[in-house]
């Protein structure tokens, strides 16, 4: 589980609250935090290492969880960006599913 609660929460920005991490304004807000790039690079590397091990063990899939407080803003923006990055890897099929989006 990747916990995004360390990032500023768009929920507390009145003009962003009603949007989700799939919307450009929220995504830009979340991804503009100076620590996000390092975090995404580390998460991508961690996923690559895990995928190699899963393949060696004969596993066909793996699940990465990305969470925050409400599952609408930060985790959605980061999951979308991480999915985009992982799709560039060879022999990888990526599905990004937002379990809590729309439950608010």
């Amino acid at each position: 589980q990747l916990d995004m609660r360390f990032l500023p929460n768009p929920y507390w920005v009145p003009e962003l609250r009603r949007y989700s991490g799939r919307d450009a304004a929220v995504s830009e807000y979340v991804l503009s935090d100076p620590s996000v790039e390092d975090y995404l690079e580390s998460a991508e590397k961690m996923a690559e290492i895990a995928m190699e091990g899963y393949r060696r063990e004969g596993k066909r899939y793996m699940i990465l969880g990305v969470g925050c407080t409400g599952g609408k803003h930060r985790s959605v923006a980061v999951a979308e960006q991480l999915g985009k990055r992982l799709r560039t890897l060879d022999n990888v099929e990526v599905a990004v599913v937002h379990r809590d989006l729309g439950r608010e």
Side-chain angles (χ1 to χ4, degrees):
Q1 172 84 19
L2 303 175
D3 187 349
M4 300 297 100
R5 292 177 298 166
F6 71 94
L7 296 172
N9 192 346
Y11 178 85
W12 300 112
V13 180
E15 58 271 14
L16 298 178
R17 182 178 293 181
R18 67 185 176 117
Y19 297 105
S20 82
R22 285 183 165 165
D23 293 299
V26 172
S27 181
E28 289 168 11
Y29 178 86
V30 171
L31 298 176
S32 71
D33 187 278
S35 60
V36 168
E37 184 57 34
D38 285 343
Y39 195 91
L40 281 166
E41 285 177 11
S42 296
E44 183 179 357
K45 182 63 178 170
M46 179 186 67
E48 288 181 71
I49 292 167
M51 283 187 268
E52 290 173 18
Y54 273 54
R55 286 184 182 118
R56 277 194 312 271
E57 293 297 315
K59 309 292 185 212
R60 299 187 64 201
Y61 69 92
M62 92 177 192
I63 297 171
L64 291 175
V66 182
C68 63
T69 305
K72 180 178 179 180
H73 300 106
R74 297 169 289 183
S75 62
V76 172
V78 171
E80 289 289 336
Q81 184 63 29
L82 184 57
K84 182 178 176 182
R85 290 170 180 232
L86 294 176
R87 283 185 188 99
T88 67
L89 302 175
D90 291 334
N91 301 316
V92 175
E93 184 177 321
V94 176
V96 178
V97 177
H98 302 291
R99 184 191 72 185
D100 295 332
L101 194 58
R103 288 188 180 184
E104 62 280 343

